[in-house]
Structures are given as C-alpha cells and as structure tokens.
Amino acid sequence: MYAMGDEEAEAVRRVIASRQLFRYRGGEGGAADQFEAEWAERTGVRYGLAVTSGSAALMCALAGMEVGPGDEVIVPGYTWIATALAPLAVGAIPIVAEVDESLTLDPKDVEQRITPRTKVICPVHMSGFPCNLQAICDVARGHGLRVLEDACQADGGSYKGKPLGSWGDAGGFSFNQFKIITCGEGGAMVTDDVEVYRRALMFHDLGTPFRAHAESIEIPVFAGLNFRMNEVLSAILRVQLTRLDGILEALRREKRILMSELDGVSAFRFNPVHDLEGDCATTLALLFDSKDEARAFLAAMKEEGVALGSPIDSGHHLYVNWKTILEKRGAHHPGRDPYKLCGYDVPYSKDMCPRTLEFLARTVYISTAVDRSDADLMALIKTVKKVAQTPVRAA
Ligand SMILES: *Cc1c(COP(=O)(O)O)cnc(C)c1O
C-alpha cells in the first residue's frame, strides 16, 4: 500500500450507511459500476470488469477469449505464479518463456515457443516495467494469436503513451495489498472486445443468465464462477484511483533522482526499460556483470544497514519455484487436470529458461517510496555509491 486515509474510510462509511453492499441491486450506478467505468476510461478501453482479484481478472480474460483444453498460453518465467495458474484454471497449458534484460517477456524467445496449440501470449509488466508491447503484439499478429497483458503490478502505467492493459486483446489488474493502488484484495479486467467482455462478464457471475444487464447477451449460458466485486471495496478503489496519479508522480520523481545520481557508477548499469515515461517506477533495477558481483553488492549494502534484494530470491515469482507447474499438478482432481488431459508430455524443467535465471541473479532491486524524505533518499544514494565504488573482495 502506498497511500490511504480518511477519504477511503468515509467512502466505506457511506456504503455501510446505504445498507447496500451487493453490487447488483436492481438499479444501476453503484460504486462497482462507477469504478468499472472510471477504470475503463483511465485505461482507454471500452469495457472494465471489476472482480475479486488479479488472478480472477486473468481467468475471466482467458474465459472471455474462449481459451480452454487443447490451448497453450505463453507466460514469462519471471512473474507471480498466478499468471501461470490462470491458464490451468480454464483447462489450458502454460508454456514458460524467457525474459530479457528488461526482466519482461522476450519477444524473440516467445516466437521460439509458439506451437500449433498456442492461443495467447501473456506479457507481464513486472515491477511496473512496461513490456516490449510493440514487438510482442507484432509476434502475436504474425501468428494469429491473442495478447493478454498481466498488468497486475502496473496499475496506471503506459507504453508509448498508451495505457498498459489497452495494447492487448485484454488486460488484468490487481488491487491487492501489495499493488500500486489497493482495496486489500481486488482486480479488474479490461478489453475493447465486446465478445471477450460479455463472456468474461458471464463467467465472473456464474454464467449470469438472470441479471438485468445480461438479458441482451445472446451468448448461450455456460457454467461460470463467482468473482463478483462488492460495493465496499469498489468505494475504496474509487478513492484510490484519485490518488493514482499522485502515487505514480512521487515514485517517478524518486526514480528519476536515483537514476540521475547513480548514472555513471561503473559497478552496474540500469536494466533497460522499454518506456521510462510509462514505467510505474516502483523499482530501479541495477544490472551487474555477474551474479557474484550482485551478491557481493547486496552483502556489502547489508553491512551498511541497507536491506536490498535480488529478484532471483523472490520465491514464487520465479518459475523454478513453481512446484505446482514443474510437477504438473494442474487441478484438485485428476479428471480436471489439463496436464493429464492434454495427451502430451509438456516439456518443463528447471533449466528451461536459463537466461531468465541469469538476468535475475545479476539484478539488484532498489524500491522507490512515496513517503521517503529527500534526506533519506540522498543517504541511500550515498551508501549505494560508496559500496559500488569499493572493490569487490574475493570470496
Ligand atoms: C499480484 C499479481 C497477480 C495476481 O493478483 P491477485 O490480486 O493477488 O490475484 C497476477 N500477476 C502478477 C504479476 C501479480 O503481481
């Protein structure tokens, strides 16, 4: 959480006073409806669907695209495990591809992993870094594939001036506690495609043949799940949305200062970012020549009392730690397990994305903050410079 205050508490109080916490209450125009319209507008797309999580947003998008058994979805080896689990939830197989130095999906590697079964490419804007969407969308177009942007860590970001989430056929956002704006747990799917929207709308509400807004939908009913958003969380999100630009501005300001102060330090360079202006700037990534140098830097910073991390240590954000995937346990029941039903042996291994492991291990993250004083920021910069200029001792 970056910012929250009395305004959110007041918005919640108003919902409680209304005694209407459920979004579908006959009349339209509640907080969930309003948030969807505002989020769609912010993202520059026609349709927004508020749901209970970012994971749900990805599942709804895949269901909206009619992805299912027999299909493959390409995901990067560096992302929260939810990205890889979403295809399984709709019966499809996740295929893991490399990230490049930008720590986002490598379009060239994606091309290598396309098979006749591939249906969707799922670029992930990790740590708010915009993916190379131009190249990824070109690859997708060339092969007749769809693009689902996982923008769960990139609320409010953009690429080439166009909002993240609006480049692909659909986008998924998360508003859990750790994201740029938050309501504790929540998410949103966005799309310009009316068919994707309608199927997702139905899927997220048990197949919704019975809501007033669904009556005009001519898609035959099908069994869905319940990922409905409620009015309490929607009211919080509407206030959070008014803070988003301020949060991004503060993060980007810190990142600009960090970059200008650390520019030219020879121990590392900055991991390339495909669009610095659209970058959410939650993180500055420093790329070292070797993983040993990154390790030595982390250890020396720790000795100075500054705890930084490397994305190689980020647990379930890294495919080698996705036990569920690597062991191919695709469902709660073998009769629903895409790995058992697909009829071929999905070629996973811990070394299927060696470059991903290398780039992550060579990277050190500095997180930005909205409430750090300039004095604290300058002290951090001073320590980084001091440590970076100290020759690495042999281990
Ligand atoms: C957080 C996150 C998700 C899932 O969001 P939840 O709201 O926790 O379900 C998916 N992908 C990425 C990259 C995330 O960081």
Side-chain angles (χ1 to χ4, degrees), residues 65-383:
M65 295 175 183
E66 295 183 272
V67 172
D71 298 333
E72 292 179 350
V73 177
I74 297 179
V75 304
Y78 174 49
T79 179
W80 177 236
I81 188 171
T83 317
L85 296 181
L88 289 170
V90 297
I93 301 285
I95 296 297
V96 186
E98 298 266 28
V99 302
D100 58 24
E101 288 189 347
S102 71
L103 309 183
T104 63
L105 197 56
D106 177 352
K108 286 199 274 313
D109 189 66
V110 165
E111 199 139 32
Q112 305 296 310
R113 309 215 186 212
I114 291 172
T115 74
R117 301 184 189 95
T118 310
K119 192 140 181 194
V120 177
I121 303 173
C122 187
V124 181
H125 308 297
M126 275 305 271
S127 310
F129 306 135
C131 293
N132 187 351
L133 283 166
Q134 189 71 67
I136 289 166
C137 291
D138 285 349
V139 170
R141 214 167 296 118
H143 293 265
L145 307 176
R146 307 194 89 168
V147 173
L148 167 57
E149 287 176 68
D150 180 339
C152 287
Q153 297 194 7
D155 305 335
S158 65
Y159 172 77
K160 295 192 176 177
K162 189 167 146 61
L164 301 182
S166 71
W167 279 78
D169 297 273
F173 294 89
S174 172
F175 309 118
N176 84 20
Q177 171 79 19
F178 310 102
K179 312 300 175 158
I180 296 172
I181 59 173
T182 180
C183 59
E185 292 275 18
M189 187 210 78
V190 297
T191 183
D192 258 335
D193 184 325
V194 66
E195 289 297 310
V196 171
Y197 170 69
R198 285 179 173 165
R199 279 179 211 282
L201 176 69
M202 292 170 75
F203 183 74
H204 108 293
D205 190 16
L206 306 166
T208 38
F210 45 83
R211 308 266 178 229
H213 63 253
E215 268 169 14
S216 61
I217 298 179
E218 280 165 12
I219 298 165
V221 296
F222 58 87
L225 296 166
N226 175 3
F227 296 130
R228 289 189 306 263
M229 183 43 104
N230 65 59
E231 293 291 285
V232 177
L233 297 183
S234 302
I236 295 175
L237 285 174
R238 294 192 68 211
V239 181
Q240 284 278 295
L241 181 49
T242 67
R243 299 187 193 274
L244 179 56
D245 284 326
I247 292 169
L248 291 172
E249 207 175 286
L251 297 175
R252 286 168 177 162
R253 174 181 171 273
E254 269 218 341
K255 184 158 175 173
R256 275 197 303 275
I257 295 172
L258 280 162
M259 288 182 74
S260 73
E261 291 290 330
L262 297 176
D263 189 30
V265 174
S266 61
F268 52 73
R269 59 198 171 89
F270 304 132
N271 295 60
V273 175
H274 293 293
D275 186 329
L276 263 177
E277 267 168 51
D279 176 13
C280 298
T282 58
T283 305
L284 173 63
L286 311 177
L287 186 63
F288 290 77
D289 284 340
S290 72
K291 94 172 188 254
D292 290 345
E293 282 164 68
R295 280 274 160 238
F297 177 79
L298 280 173
M301 286 298 289
K302 198 168 165 207
E303 263 176 47
E304 296 287 331
V306 181
L308 298 179
S310 167
I312 196 73
D313 299 320
S314 60
H316 278 92
H317 294 87
L318 192 59
Y319 78 91
V320 287
N321 301 321
W322 298 345
K323 197 171 151 90
T324 334
I325 303 285
L326 291 174
E327 294 183 6
K328 298 180 204 171
R329 301 171 193 271
H332 66 287
H333 188 287
R336 296 292 295 266
D337 187 340
Y339 292 118
K340 299 214 160 48
L341 299 173
C342 68
Y344 61 101
D345 192 26
V346 184
Y348 291 151
S349 73
K350 282 210 172 184
D351 53 17
M352 62 187 157
C353 295
R355 280 181 289 131
T356 295
L357 300 180
E358 191 213 312
F359 292 134
L360 293 177
R362 283 170 47 197
T363 299
V364 167
Y365 273 176
I366 298 179
S367 296
T368 51
V370 290
D371 49 5
R372 186 155 39 199
S373 71
D374 281 357
D376 285 350
L377 182 63
M378 292 320 284
L380 170 65
I381 288 165
K382 205 172 145 200
T383 308

